[in-house]
Amino acid sequence: MTKAWQDKNKQNNMRFLPHNVSVILLFCIVIFISCLVGILTRPVGLLATFWPANAIMLGMLLRISHARTLAGWIAAFCAYLAADLVTGASLTKAIILDGINLASVTAAYAVFSRLPARVIGLQHPASVPFLLLGSITGSLAGGIGGVFANPLLFGASARSGLQFWFVTELANYLAVLPLILSAPNPFSRQSAWHWPSPLQWGPFAALCLSCLAGTRIGGAGAIVFIVPALLWCGLSYSVFLTAVLTAASSYWALSQLVALYLPGGSQGSASFDLISYRLGVSFVALSPIMQAVTSSGRRSTIDHFKDAANRDSLTRIANRGAFLDRARILVSSGAVPSVMVMMDIDHFKRINDNYGHVVGDMVLVEFSRRVSGCLRDCDLFGRLGGEEFAIVIPECTLRQGHMIAERIRRAIGNEELTLADGRSIKVTASIGVALADLDQGSVTQLLEKADAALYAAKRNGRDRVEVFSRMPPAQPSRSAFHVHGSDA
């Protein structure tokens, strides 16, 4: 290892250090706040019913690689400890309780860390069974901790400690963890926060009415009032939005309904009724998540087939059928002019013969990329077949279309394509431009006009743009259309 390499590696470590520190600091702050929320909302004299800290810590460990370090685990323990100490707990009690919390997270992490990313991200049908397995594992570790902590700290039985810790942990994991694992990455361009349109608010409205009915009507069956609405949410919304609504509903059930419908003597940590109730809420929370994961997978499969049916498999732009269908809509909308552009890669057969079809495919992909970089989002770009491509440019005059075509020609021809072995290929294109008539003509006729201009560009020397004229000659034919050329 040379000194220069060591110096470079040291500089890289110093450059990334502030980012690592900031991530761990954020990790610590989030856990500290989560602990405070659980502590400050717990019933007087009881352990917290709403304890999101363990699930949030586990979710962040699974999603943020910089948190999965010794410094991250130490920071998390300090956050737990600080939250207990600032709210009046003794140091001994805080260390015992926080040790149980970390044991619970560690056990659950041992299960999740061995799973593929799609399963962890709730993007696979097997996600929900493994979500349940990991949550049960972490809850069981918390329950075992309760066996020792409950008699030592609260003078209660070891059995009630096992039951209470296990069930409470499970309810919190199943309510909060799906929300963390399915949340879109706010720093990724490929992820987006898709919220439903006003026409899709039916499931949410039904959920609100179900909660209201549960509060007003009451009784032992009040908890299941929200199940149909949650399942409807799972069918209609993304996994993340379903997880948000499920978490809110679960904690509504754990807080409001317990206080209203369980007898006062049945609300202690040793109460079988309370343990059974929390266990029921846990499995109620699991059902809509399972429905959302299944529906999301089905929608992804449908979208994949739609994409395959409408996109060219090589260049990922519109294929011939999709291009013609959308072109008819754009051209027939009619209120504003549209321009049709047809392009053909010059001497493409020679490229395939000299370099092989693999290089030919590379040329097609790079050609499509360069053309796409010259277009707007509203422009339609498609591959008609082989080396022939077409564009529909809406709200465009003939002069503007000619300028865009020239910009495309220069983008293609000004820079050679470099192959993997270092060789370069000069690629050019011939381009024909035609204006759509607002009062007559179909897409097929418009393509014929642009094709005539393209033919003239190839006949007049290639690597040029030709524009179709609206004034036809006396005896029209493909080789006799009047065009205006440009070698700009």
Side-chain angles (χ1 to χ4, degrees):
M1 183 182 297
T2 64
K3 186 176 186 302
W5 190 92
Q6 289 176 337
D7 293 340
K8 183 178 180 180
N9 189 52
K10 183 177 180 181
Q11 291 175 0
N12 289 337
N13 289 338
M14 291 178 65
R15 185 176 67 222
F16 287 112
L17 182 60
H19 177 67
N20 294 346
V21 171
S22 63
V23 169
I24 293 175
L25 181 60
L26 176 63
F27 182 52
C28 182
I29 292 173
V30 170
I31 294 174
F32 177 75
I33 294 174
S34 303
C35 292
L36 287 182
V37 170
I39 294 171
L40 297 177
T41 57
R42 67 188 176 191
V44 178
L46 298 176
L47 288 171
T49 299
F50 176 42
W51 185 255
N54 294 356
I56 290 176
M57 178 182 173
L58 176 60
M60 294 183 72
L61 286 172
L62 294 172
R63 298 202 58 174
I64 304 174
S65 59
H66 293 300
R68 299 192 293 266
T69 61
L70 179 60
W73 285 90
I74 293 174
F77 181 74
C78 292
Y80 278 109
L81 200 62
D84 278 325
L85 293 178
V86 299
T87 53
S90 66
L91 180 61
T92 301
K93 181 178 180 181
I95 291 176
I96 294 174
L97 293 177
D98 296 333
I100 295 173
N101 287 327
L102 287 186
S104 175
V105 174
T106 301
Y109 178 77
V111 174
F112 283 106
S113 61
R114 290 168 170 76
L115 301 177
R118 281 180 54 82
V119 176
I120 294 176
L122 304 184
Q123 299 172 350
H124 191 275
S127 296
V128 174
F130 280 109
L131 171 67
L132 181 59
L133 176 62
S135 300
I136 289 176
T137 303
S139 302
L140 185 59
I144 293 173
V147 170
F148 301 98
N150 211 36
L152 182 63
L153 299 179
F154 305 103
S157 68
R159 179 180 177 182
S160 64
L162 173 64
Q163 294 174 340
F164 183 83
W165 253 277
F166 173 80
V167 172
T168 302
E169 287 285 1
L170 184 62
N172 283 283
Y173 275 128
L174 293 181
V176 177
L177 192 56
L179 192 154
I180 306 298
L181 297 180
S182 63
N185 184 353
F187 304 106
S188 173
R189 295 181 179 180
Q190 297 181 350
S191 66
W193 300 77
H194 297 291
W195 299 105
S197 66
L199 295 178
Q200 297 176 309
W201 285 4
F204 175 72
L207 182 60
C208 294
L209 291 175
S210 299
C211 292
L212 180 61
T215 304
R216 293 292 184 182
I217 298 174
I223 185 177
V224 298
F225 286 11
I226 60 175
V227 173
L230 283 175
L231 292 177
W232 190 10
C233 291
L235 282 170
S236 306
Y237 299 150
S238 67
V239 178
F240 172 66
L241 186 53
T242 301
V244 172
L245 297 176
T246 300
S249 301
S250 297
Y251 286 119
W252 166 81
L254 287 172
S255 58
Q256 297 298 317
L257 293 186
V258 162
L260 289 174
Y261 304 120
L262 281 185
S266 300
Q267 295 181 24
S269 60
S271 168
F272 176 79
D273 290 340
L274 180 62
I275 291 172
S276 176
Y277 181 83
R278 289 185 177 179
L279 195 60
V281 171
S282 301
F283 287 100
V284 166
L286 194 63
S287 301
I289 301 300
M290 184 181 299
Q291 183 66 67
V293 171
T294 304
S295 299
S296 178
R298 187 182 299 113
R299 287 193 294 266
S300 296
T301 302
I302 294 173
D303 291 342
H304 172 75
F305 283 119
K306 285 183 178 179
D307 184 76
N310 293 304
R311 287 187 181 273
D312 178 64
S313 60
L314 177 63
T315 60
R316 307 307 300 159
I317 61 175
N319 60 24
R320 182 183 183 89
F323 175 85
L324 293 177
D325 289 341
R326 293 173 60 188
R328 291 187 185 98
I329 297 174
L330 289 174
V331 173
S332 64
S333 57
V336 292
S338 298
V339 166
M340 177 73 74
V341 178
M342 285 196 66
M343 300 172 291
D344 193 295
I345 300 176
D346 295 329
H347 304 298
F348 185 70
K349 184 177 184 301
R350 188 180 302 171
I351 294 175
N352 278 332
D353 292 341
N354 293 339
Y355 297 97
H357 288 278
V358 173
V359 173
D361 288 346
M362 292 173 56
V363 170
L364 292 172
V365 172
E366 178 63 16
F367 175 89
S368 301
R369 187 189 68 81
R370 294 184 184 184
V371 173
S372 298
C374 300
L375 302 177
R376 305 168 298 177
D377 292 339
C378 62
D379 299 331
L380 174 61
F381 180 32
R383 182 184 179 191
L384 300 184
E387 69 274 22
E388 285 192 336
F389 297 80
I391 307 170
V392 175
I393 309 175
E395 302 182 18
C396 183
T397 65
L398 190 60
R399 181 174 179 274
Q400 292 170 334
H402 178 263
M403 294 172 61
I404 294 171
E406 278 294 338
R407 184 165 69 242
I408 292 172
R409 185 188 67 82
R410 290 192 294 269
I412 295 167
N414 285 359
E415 184 180 349
E416 293 185 339
L417 174 64
T418 302
L419 303 180
D421 59 5
R423 293 179 296 171
S424 298
I425 301 178
K426 175 70 173 178
V427 179
T428 62
S430 300
I431 304 176
V433 181
L435 180 68
D437 294 325
L438 298 182
D439 55 349
Q440 60 181 356
S442 64
V443 169
T444 302
Q445 293 171 324
L446 184 58
L447 281 169
E448 289 175 352
K449 295 175 183 179
D451 186 51
L454 169 61
Y455 181 82
K458 300 174 78 69
R459 183 186 60 198
N460 293 336
R462 303 178 188 270
D463 190 21
R464 58 187 288 123
V465 177
E466 300 285 354
V467 180
F468 181 82
S469 172
R470 294 188 65 179
M471 296 179 57
Q475 295 180 347
S477 66
R478 177 171 184 178
S479 61
F481 279 107
H482 180 64
V483 295
H484 300 290
S486 172
D487 284 322

